[in-house]
Structure formats: structure tokens, C-alpha cells
Amino acid sequence: MQTLRQVQSFGSIVASNRASCLVFIAILVTCSSSLNIRASPLIPNSPFLSIWNASTELCTEKTGVQLDMRLFHWVGSTLKTSTEQSITIFYADRLGDYPYIDENTDEQVGLAVIDWENWRPLWIRNWGSKDIYRQESIEFVQHKDLSLLETQARPLAKMEFEDAAKSLMLKSLNLGISMKPNHLWGYYLYPDCYNYDYKQNPHNYTGSCLDIEIARNNELNWLWEESTALYPSVYLEMALRSSKNAPLFVRNRVQEAIRVSNVSNSTCPLPIFVYTRPVFTDFYQEYLSQDDLVHTIGESAALGVSGIVIWGDLNLTLSVNTCRTLDSYLRRTLNPYIINVTMAAKICSQALCQDSGACARKNWNSSDYLHLNPENFVIQLSKDGKYAIQGQPSFQDLQQFIEKFYCRCYAGYSCEPRVDINDIHYINACISEDICVQVSLNSLSNVEASSGRTASNMSVFSFTSQRNMTLPAHNATEGFQQTIRYNTFNVSTAGRINVPTSSSGALKITDTHSFSGLSSDEMKILNVVCLILILRNLI
């Protein structure tokens, strides 16, 4: 109760008005009236942000291991001594350590996350070890009125506890927003839907958020109305390692956050940044596999949230060995997947939303992912540590985006979602200065298939298509691996498009499977290709 009694110490706080969206990057017009919208990106033309939140600078300072953090949009430390970062997390022992405004510097956008996990603002949710807060609250009420029995004191204690919790949490938010208005303020692990029964019910687990927990989240509407971002968590335990239950656990939690994000204003939803970890919560020596990354980062991206925050504790940087292990994991596993999903999200955003929205699953409870097709792309790592993408999106790749995803327009943007692949004429997607995909789709007559050669000094990473759940599999198209290559282009630091002219004028098709077992949609695509070939030969 001591924490809750400190509410008055915050003093008077200027109330914040969330009647309109916060403007961080540009001056936005009033929000769209469409319900298929998402919060505007914090970084222009970046539908999915990857943010690193761990004190990994210790690896360089203490062990000399230099970690490659270039692919993360923002990097922030969790140490108390680290201030003025793009992402700041406030733990229970740091209340009051709010960043100050330096009038000599321009205010930058960023994330501000309050991490309180000792107690929960709803009385009913303080079960288990947190029940002590209920018992102390009852004793506090009885101490003020010695005549009250426990049954009489309990409802009064519940009311006082929830009122104090609400006041403390809202005043904390308002204080932070008044001091750092260009940061997105919210509480870590909110909202939660408590779908943790994957251990008790592993064979029949659906991941669904119980109706009672959704109703309880509705009781926290006062929190959603004052927050300027949501920070749900999808940390995995070993019980979900490479498990079919992992994506069910994650997608239901993220979907509940999406529902909550519309509570305050459905035309200006709150941005959602999903917290994940590179290791398992109950075994920090074990890093997430490619499957696990798909089930966490991949799920979040496919549902159309603003980004992910990868959080790590000091166990990542204990010694030279742990730093070297982290370095290898970043270079060989995490970074290539970040490139994969970030580029796929960027291409889909351009193709479906013309850079004015983010792609999201048409069926949120499906296993459709925003991945580059492994038949058409490879990610390469050179000996000097630079990444590159080699490959091109095929007609079928773009068609898959249109069939499996829809455009969630950014709030305040003029957005006209595309529904016809023939309306896509050009792709120019960059996730860093030297990792780009640029290709013209206007002409089919003067291009030929890419050779797909890999430089001898490159390491190659494979990955899955959006139609498959497990990352390493190469048979992602399930029997239909017609790679229809309409264009050839190079991915390089120059950023230029290279479209050579075919000497034969024939459209090349790489046939790696028989036509047996094709679905009706696949047969339609094949028929279109055959018709093009026939017409080309007749002209």
C-alpha cells in the first residue's frame, strides 16, 4: 500500500487531451473515417519497426565484442545511466527518473515504457503472490474503522485500491507526456489476456483470450484512453519452443491489443509495439530458433502492428562467451530474419497501400506471413559483414500479398488500397541505405530470368514464404514451384535498376515440379502464363 499512498507526491499534472492524434513526423490531416486503419509510422515509409532494448553496449565496453545493430531502427540500453534515448523503459525502482527537456536540442520521437509488474490495477487480477496487496488493502480499511468485518471491508478495500491504482497510473502517464510529448507512453504488458494455459492444456490449446479477460480489459478503458501506445508482451517459455501452440499464443495476444487500440478513437488507433525476447524466459541460455522468430516477430508483422521491441537482460552480456554467442546469433539468425520480414512488409505496403498503409492478414487467425518467397530471394552476408538481398518478387508473390493481406491505411493519410495486381507498376523498397529492392513491372517483353548466382564470398540464408509456417522449408509453395521471373534486377549499394534485354524474347519459366496436384488458383496462374506464351509467339 505504500506505493499506492504516494499518489499525491506527483503534484498537479497538466491533463493531456487525446481528442486528436499526436503528430510526430509530419503535420497530419484529420483521421480517416475508415475502420481499416492503423497508427501512422514513427519513421516515414517504415510500416514495421524493429527496436533493440538491451544493455548490449557492455559487450563492446567490457569484452571488445562489437555487435551489429545497424538493422534496428532504434537501439536503447536498459541501464540507469543511459538517458536521452529513442526508447526508455522505467522500472519500479526508477519512478521519478523521467527524462528532462533540453531546450538546446530538438525533441526527437521515441518510445517511453513504464514497467510495473508488482501489482495490477484491477483487484481481481491480483492473484497468487500479488494477493498480498488485497490483504494489505483490507487491513488498511479495517484499521481506519475497527468495527468492520472482513466481508464488510473487502468491497471498500477493492474500491479504494482500484481508485488509487488508477490515479497513480494516469498521473504517471500524464507527467511523462507533459515532459516528453513526442514520446509514445504506455505500460509494458498492457493489455494482457492471460492465455497462459498452454502447459495445462497443450493438446487442445487454442490461444483464445477468455471473454472474462476481454471484459476486464474493457474495465481499463481509462488506461487505453490516456496511453499513447500499447506494449503487449509475447515472451516465450520453453514449453512453446518450436511448438504449434506458440503462434496461437502470440496472435491472440496481439489481436487483443489491436482491439484495445481502437477503444479511445477507432479512427486514430494507438500504435502497438510488441515486446519479445531473443531467449526463452525460463532458460536464458537458449536462443529462439527461426521457427520461434516466425511465431513471434513474424506473427506481429503479419497482423499489421507498428513494430517489435526486442528486450534483453544482463545475462546476454555476462562474459566474452555470452557476447560472442549473441554476436553469432545476430549475424546468422536474427538479423537475416529482420531483413526478411521488414523487406516483405515494405514491399507489401508499396504494392497494396502505395506506402500509405501497412499490410495485415485478411484472416487474422491464419498462418499467412509477410515473408519473401525463398524460391525467388536469398539474403547474403559478405565477409566484411554487409548484408544484401538477391532476387525479385514474381507475379505470384505479389498476387499472394493481394490474396492473403489487405491494406490498413495510416491514420491521416490519403490512402487508396490496390486490389488489382495490374495496377502495380514499380517497386522501390529500401530498409537501409544499402539493402534495397527496386524493379519496374511495366513491361514483360524485354526482361529475362535472373541468374540467381551467389558471390563466392557470400554466406547465404534461406527462409520461408508467407504461405508456410516453418522457416527452413524450401517446399513452401506445396507442389507449385513455377518461378515466373518477369524482371531481373540487382540489389546493391548503387540502388540502380538493371533490366537486361532478352536475346530470344521468350519468357523463361523454371519448372521444378510436375503440374499434378495444383489448386484451382494455381491452374489459373499457369493458364495465364501459357496464354502469354502463345500470344508472344503469334506476334
Side-chain angles (χ1 to χ4, degrees):
M1 292 302 297
Q2 181 180 0
T3 303
L4 296 182
R5 292 169 190 161
Q6 294 174 349
V7 173
Q8 299 301 323
S9 66
F10 283 91
S12 60
I13 306 297
V14 178
S16 65
N17 181 9
R18 290 202 64 254
S20 60
C21 290
L22 292 177
V23 178
F24 300 105
I25 302 298
I27 299 176
L28 302 180
V29 297
T30 55
C31 297
S32 168
S33 61
S34 171
L35 294 179
N36 291 331
I37 60 175
R38 201 206 76 174
S40 304
L42 286 182
I43 299 176
N45 298 325
S46 298
F48 187 73
L49 301 183
S50 296
I51 300 161
W52 184 264
N53 189 201
S55 55
T56 43
E57 71 273 16
L58 296 178
C59 282
T60 303
E61 296 173 1
K62 294 185 176 182
T63 69
V65 177
Q66 185 69 44
L67 302 174
D68 185 1
M69 295 286 155
R70 292 173 298 173
L71 293 173
F72 294 96
H73 296 88
W74 290 330
V75 175
S77 175
T78 57
L79 297 180
K80 291 183 179 181
T81 54
S82 299
T83 59
E84 297 301 320
Q85 303 180 111
S86 294
I87 176 170
T88 303
I89 187 166
F90 299 96
Y91 299 108
D93 61 346
R94 300 185 198 179
L95 296 179
D97 293 339
Y98 291 98
Y100 62 89
I101 297 178
D102 186 348
E103 296 182 357
N104 296 321
T105 61
D106 294 331
E107 174 66 8
Q108 300 296 318
V109 299
L111 308 183
V113 188
I114 302 175
D115 184 11
W116 287 354
E117 301 177 55
N118 291 38
W119 48 266
R120 303 179 181 120
L122 291 184
W123 175 273
I124 192 64
R125 283 180 168 170
N126 285 286
W127 52 65
S129 62
K130 294 177 175 55
D131 183 60
I132 188 175
Y133 290 95
R134 294 190 289 201
Q135 298 305 318
E136 288 286 334
S137 298
I138 293 172
E139 292 181 11
F140 181 70
V141 169
Q142 288 180 311
H143 182 73
K144 292 189 296 182
D145 187 344
L146 299 178
S147 67
L148 293 177
L149 301 176
E150 180 178 344
T151 54
Q152 296 172 313
R154 179 173 291 272
L156 293 175
K158 175 180 181 294
M159 181 180 65
E160 290 187 7
F161 176 90
E162 291 187 343
D163 286 347
K166 176 180 178 180
S167 178
L168 178 61
M169 295 182 77
L170 291 184
K171 287 186 176 182
S172 299
L173 276 178
N174 291 335
L175 175 60
I177 292 170
S178 68
M179 298 183 71
K180 284 287 187 181
N182 283 355
H183 278 57
L184 295 173
W185 287 85
Y187 286 87
Y188 165 73
L189 200 55
Y190 287 83
D192 196 348
C193 81
Y194 300 92
N195 57 342
Y196 299 106
D197 57 322
Y198 45 80
K199 289 183 179 178
Q200 296 82 358
N201 191 28
H203 300 296
N204 299 314
Y205 181 73
T206 65
S208 298
C209 304
L210 296 177
D211 291 341
I212 186 62
E213 297 301 343
I214 294 176
R216 288 169 181 168
N217 282 340
N218 290 340
E219 294 182 40
L220 296 174
N221 282 355
W222 51 265
L223 181 59
W224 321 135
E225 290 173 354
E226 293 299 321
S227 299
T228 51
L230 300 178
Y231 298 102
S233 171
V234 296
Y235 294 172
L236 296 186
E237 293 183 312
M238 285 293 288
L240 293 176
R241 176 185 179 187
S242 298
S243 168
K244 63 180 179 62
N245 289 335
L248 301 177
F249 169 75
V250 171
R251 74 175 59 134
N252 280 276
R253 297 173 68 80
V254 175
Q255 187 65 19
E256 172 63 0
I258 293 173
R259 184 192 72 84
V260 166
S261 72
N262 289 280
V263 166
S264 176
N265 186 342
S266 62
T267 62
C268 250
L270 295 174
I272 300 169
F273 291 90
V274 179
Y275 261 80
T276 183
R277 292 185 69 174
V279 296
F280 294 94
T281 59
D282 51 348
F283 192 58
Y284 68 84
Q285 297 94 336
E286 183 77 17
Y287 279 87
L288 270 59
S289 67
Q290 289 181 323
D291 283 349
D292 302 316
L293 293 179
V294 173
H295 296 160
T296 51
I297 299 174
E299 281 288 332
S300 301
L303 291 168
V305 301
S306 295
I308 50 103
V309 179
I310 301 178
W311 180 89
D313 61 17
L314 292 176
N315 287 316
L316 298 177
T317 58
L318 286 176
S319 65
V320 174
N321 287 338
T322 59
C323 287
R324 286 176 177 172
T325 301
L326 175 58
D327 176 54
S328 177
Y329 180 72
L330 284 168
R331 289 187 295 106
R332 298 289 176 175
T333 304
L334 183 57
N335 284 352
Y337 187 70
I338 292 291
I339 293 173
N340 179 358
V341 72
T342 306
M343 181 60 79
K346 190 71 175 292
I347 292 175
C348 189
S349 173
Q350 281 198 5
L352 271 64
C353 310
Q354 303 179 66
D355 277 332
S356 295
C359 292
R361 287 173 178 156
K362 288 183 177 179
N363 177 7
W364 71 270
N365 202 21
S366 70
S367 294
D368 300 318
Y369 291 97
L370 285 170
H371 287 161
L372 301 174
N373 189 339
E375 299 299 322
N376 298 333
F377 289 91
V378 293
I379 294 174
Q380 301 169 333
L381 175 62
S382 64
K383 290 183 179 179
D384 62 357
K386 293 183 178 180
Y387 292 94
I389 294 181
Q390 184 176 12
Q392 63 181 66
S394 67
F395 178 94
Q396 185 184 10
D397 294 339
L398 299 178
Q399 187 65 36
Q400 281 292 307
F401 284 145
I402 289 179
E403 291 178 0
K404 302 296 184 181
F405 295 86
Y406 74 98
C407 177
R408 294 183 65 197
C409 297
Y410 296 140
Y413 279 58
S414 177
C415 177
E416 296 181 5
R418 289 192 180 110
V419 294
D420 188 348
I421 194 173
N422 295 314
D423 293 335
I424 304 172
H425 304 297
Y426 188 74
I427 296 294
N428 179 18
C430 292
I431 61 174
S432 68
E433 292 183 358
D434 53 356
I435 303 178
C436 295
V437 170
Q438 297 176 316
V439 59
S440 173
L441 304 173
N442 286 323
S443 174
L444 302 180
S445 61
N446 60 349
V447 294
E448 65 178 1
S450 172
S451 63
R453 297 191 187 96
T454 301
S456 59
N457 65 339
M458 292 282 191
S459 298
V460 179
F461 304 94
S462 61
F463 39 85
T464 187
S465 76
Q466 63 268 21
R467 298 180 60 187
N468 208 37
M469 186 179 299
T470 56
L471 196 64
H474 277 269
N475 59 341
T477 48
E478 299 174 355
F480 185 71
Q481 295 184 346
Q482 303 302 114
T483 306
I484 307 170
R485 301 186 184 276
Y486 288 105
N487 304 276
T488 299
F489 62 94
N490 296 329
V491 181
S492 65
T493 55
R496 294 193 296 264
I497 305 171
N498 179 18
V499 186
T501 302
S502 172
S503 58
S504 64
L507 180 67
K508 293 186 178 181
I509 302 175
T510 303
D511 184 6
T512 59
H513 272 264
S514 66
F515 297 150
S516 60
L518 301 185
S519 68
S520 59
D521 289 340
E522 291 163 346
M523 284 300 299
K524 290 178 182 178
I525 295 174
L526 183 60
N527 289 337
V528 171
V529 174
C530 293
L531 178 59
I532 293 173
L533 290 174
I534 293 172
L535 293 175
R536 290 278 302 279
N537 290 329
L538 290 176
I539 296 175

